Amino acid sequence: INAEGLEIPVTALSEAEQTECGADIELPPLELGVKAPERVTAKYSVSAVTRLETGLLGMNPPARIADKKPVFADGDAARGAKRGTANHVFLQFSNFSLAEKDVEAEAKRLFEKGFLDKEQLDLLNLPALKLFFSSSLYGEIKASRRVYREKRFTTRVSSSLFTFDNADGVLLQGVIDCFFENEKGCFTLVDYKTDAVREGGEQQLIEKHETQLNLYAQYIEKLTGKAVSDTYIYSLTLNKAIPLGKPKTS
């Protein structure tokens, strides 16, 4: 549940308004996907999935979801990881209509309501967040009549897609940062990234995260019956939206 976040209620399209993207259905409010049967034992984060040269999916890094606290390196790497988390928390819980007017005031409001702690408040990259709210991509989000933010999902997929075999299948979990209905009547998928990359590192981000976004798009289409026509990585390091085009969902 966000803190008065931007989520526009879903209303059904008339038959005349339906497009090649597919007909509208109302999304469940809390979860995308389906619950897996109890026998599923392999549980992974979508963000750790990568596509190998063989075409199969593998894990990179090979980190299974576990009940362990993350261990950060010392120095700049730790600070960078914490800053990335802080920026994600802000984008998760903020009221976009307030943040676009005054990022600092919205950050303070989130701190006062307990959504950000003091360390996270101090680590926020306020200039980068301001640039996001002045971007053309945010303009599209603002103009959309249907916006979904921070949607968590759990889904079961066949282990035949992976390099390892598990008779009970594989349980994938993920969090979709944002997707919204675009002017085509399809969905646009947006994923915020805080990776430390140099100027000109757009392709590096695409290669690292494309499989993750393709899986997100696949789940959105499976649930809604509507196409994802556009996919973007928004880099808070490069301060730009990086288009990936139409995702590969089959």
Side-chain angles (χ1 to χ4, degrees), residues 6-236:
L6 176 66
E7 183 166 328
I8 302 173
V10 174
T11 56
L13 291 179
S14 68
E15 184 175 345
E17 291 177 299
Q18 295 175 12
T19 70
E20 68 275 6
C21 299
D24 271 352
I25 66 168
E26 186 168 348
L27 297 184
L30 296 178
E31 183 179 48
L32 288 175
V34 296
K35 293 184 178 180
E38 294 181 358
R39 289 195 63 199
V40 173
T41 57
K43 183 188 296 184
Y44 297 96
S45 168
V46 173
S47 61
V49 176
T50 187
R51 188 171 295 279
L52 307 177
E53 292 182 1
T54 60
L56 294 174
L57 301 177
M59 310 308 296
N60 185 27
R64 182 174 298 209
I65 295 174
D67 296 327
K68 294 182 179 179
K69 295 182 179 180
V71 178
F72 296 104
D74 293 331
D76 291 342
R79 182 177 177 82
K82 291 180 179 180
R83 168 167 279 191
T85 298
N87 289 326
H88 262 100
V89 171
F90 180 91
L91 290 169
Q92 174 184 353
F93 291 112
S94 64
N95 181 320
F96 277 9
S97 62
L98 296 179
E100 69 172 281
K101 298 173 184 175
D102 192 330
V103 169
E104 288 96 337
E106 177 62 359
K108 181 179 179 182
R109 186 183 74 87
L110 293 180
F111 169 68
E112 290 173 347
K113 287 184 172 290
F115 291 96
L116 290 168
D117 61 32
K118 184 60 168 64
E119 182 181 27
Q120 290 173 328
L121 179 66
D122 293 339
L123 284 172
L124 285 176
N125 188 339
L126 296 175
L129 291 169
K130 290 178 182 178
L131 286 171
F132 167 72
F133 287 107
S134 65
S135 69
S136 59
L137 179 60
Y138 174 69
E140 292 183 39
I141 295 173
K142 182 180 178 181
S144 174
R145 63 174 180 166
R146 293 185 179 87
V147 180
Y148 303 94
R149 293 168 51 196
E150 199 68 16
K151 289 298 180 180
R152 301 177 182 273
F153 69 86
T154 301
T155 190
R156 182 175 183 267
V157 298
S158 171
S159 59
S160 64
L161 298 173
F162 288 81
T163 54
F164 50 83
D165 181 45
N166 184 71
D168 295 325
V170 176
L171 187 65
L172 289 180
Q173 295 179 329
V175 182
I176 299 173
D177 288 337
C178 177
F179 66 100
F180 62 92
E181 185 181 81
N182 56 41
E183 60 183 8
K184 305 170 191 174
C186 303
F187 284 123
T188 294
L189 170 64
V190 180
D191 198 60
Y192 312 124
K193 294 300 180 189
T194 58
D195 305 51
V197 292
R198 298 180 183 276
E199 191 68 32
E202 290 89 345
Q203 190 59 36
Q204 179 183 346
L205 290 174
I206 291 173
E207 291 175 359
K208 181 178 180 181
H209 300 295
E210 185 175 22
T211 296
Q212 176 189 356
L213 275 89
N214 286 340
L215 288 169
Y216 286 168
Q218 178 181 332
Y219 302 145
I220 293 170
E221 292 185 354
K222 177 181 177 182
L223 179 70
T224 67
K226 295 188 69 174
V228 176
S229 62
D230 301 278
T231 308
Y232 289 91
I233 291 172
Y234 188 88
S235 170
L236 289 160

